[in-house]
Amino acid sequence: MNDTALAVGLCLASAVTYAAGAVAQERLARAGAARSAGALMGSGVWWWSAGLNAAAALLHAAALRYGPLTLVQPLGALTLVAAVPMGARRAGRRVAATEWRGTLATVAGLGLLLLPASGPAPDDTLTLAEALAVSGATAAVILLLTAVKDPGAGLRHATASGLASAVASALTQTVAVAGGRGGSLLSARVLAVALLVVVFAVGGMLLSQRAYRGGGLGAPLAVVNLANPLAAAAIGAVLLGERLQGGPAGLLLAGAGALVAAWGVVLLTRAPAAPPAAPAAAPAAAPAARVPSAAAELAVPGGRVPV
């Protein structure tokens, strides 16, 4: 198996795992159990979603060892493709025709984008100065995006989450490639970059949790999956010397693929909204019936969430 095929396989596994974590996070947010950091820390469901995100991150890190950012990051959009049917099933509804069309468009667009993006295994890495500069600039943008609370805050948090995840991926690639060359994983540069990876990876997950609180699953996850590859491609092109293959024809093909995939993502954001988690009203003429506790809970591996 060549490096590109291995990177794609690892990306697919990562996307499905990320999707499962996203669905668990969104359901937790919709149930109103994610109002504070203390509530999250005490939720078995949140720890389950955190474990899924951690496993997905490890698979993603392995993919970055064998594929460039321009290849690995666009495949992150498959998280949305997997999450939509997962979320629909969890909500007890069928996947709508619009969602199927969005899925097909996203997969087709990614297929076009992968052809010119399938370059050699990465070789260049970020220096410590570059890693610190990228981290500082991204942190400043994230603070600007999340400073104001208004009806659009959910999508801004999703954008911030995508940026944080992109930087975490670029930094992860530096750790993976530096270690794979036989270099010391305990060097000052690798340890410092690894610490930044943890900060941005955890920050990205918490920001996505905030985005799901008011924006459902489809729209925030779509924004995350658009912001992430765009930011990662910019880092790869500017600092790591990554380029699309095929010259002008490759650029044209990548542009067409990006447009088709973006249209697919737009269609996927139009998923039917999940019903609000509210108890049914009792008839006025009859006393309210007691609802069994088992019927008022959402069963999720690792715990139950009241709904």
Side-chain angles (χ1 to χ4, degrees), residues 103-298:
T103 298
L104 292 175
T106 303
V107 172
L110 287 172
L112 292 174
L113 189 59
L114 286 179
L115 295 176
S118 300
D123 181 63
D124 199 6
T125 59
L126 297 174
T127 65
L128 181 57
E130 290 172 337
L132 292 174
V134 169
S135 300
T138 304
V141 173
I142 289 174
L143 288 175
L144 288 175
L145 288 170
T146 58
V148 180
K149 295 182 178 179
D150 58 32
L155 293 184
R156 288 204 305 274
H157 278 84
T159 302
S161 175
L163 295 177
S165 298
V167 172
S169 294
L171 298 173
T172 297
Q173 188 178 69
T174 291
V175 174
V177 173
R181 289 176 180 163
S184 174
L185 291 174
L186 298 179
S187 67
R189 180 181 71 132
V190 172
L191 288 176
V193 172
L195 179 61
L196 290 172
V197 168
V198 173
V199 170
F200 279 99
V202 174
M205 186 177 68
L206 294 176
L207 286 166
S208 66
Q209 183 71 69
R210 291 291 298 273
Y212 297 140
R213 182 182 299 176
L217 177 66
L221 192 55
V223 171
V224 170
N225 281 280
L226 286 174
N228 189 326
L230 289 175
I235 294 172
V238 174
L239 297 178
L240 298 176
E242 295 182 357
R243 297 292 183 270
L244 296 175
Q245 309 298 308
L251 289 174
L252 184 62
L253 191 62
L259 288 175
V260 173
W263 175 242
V265 169
V266 169
L267 291 176
L268 286 170
T269 63
R270 299 173 182 173
R290 180 177 179 82
V291 180
S293 60
E297 293 179 332
L298 167 68

Side-chain angles (χ1 to χ4, degrees), residues 33-118:
R35 296 298 180 185
S36 67
L40 287 177
M41 296 299 105
S43 169
V45 181
W46 187 83
W47 285 107
W48 165 254
S49 68
L52 288 171
N53 277 279
L58 291 175
L59 290 167
H60 188 75
L64 287 168
R65 173 66 184 88
Y66 297 101
L69 280 171
T70 49
L71 169 69
V72 173
Q73 294 306 108
L75 283 170
L78 291 175
T79 298
L80 183 60
V81 175
V84 167
M86 285 184 185
R89 181 177 181 182
R90 181 67 69 179
R93 63 175 179 83
R94 299 181 66 179
V95 180
T98 300
E99 294 173 297
W100 285 125
R101 290 196 296 270
T103 298
L104 292 175
T106 303
V107 172
L110 287 172
L112 292 174
L113 189 59
L114 286 179
L115 295 176
S118 300

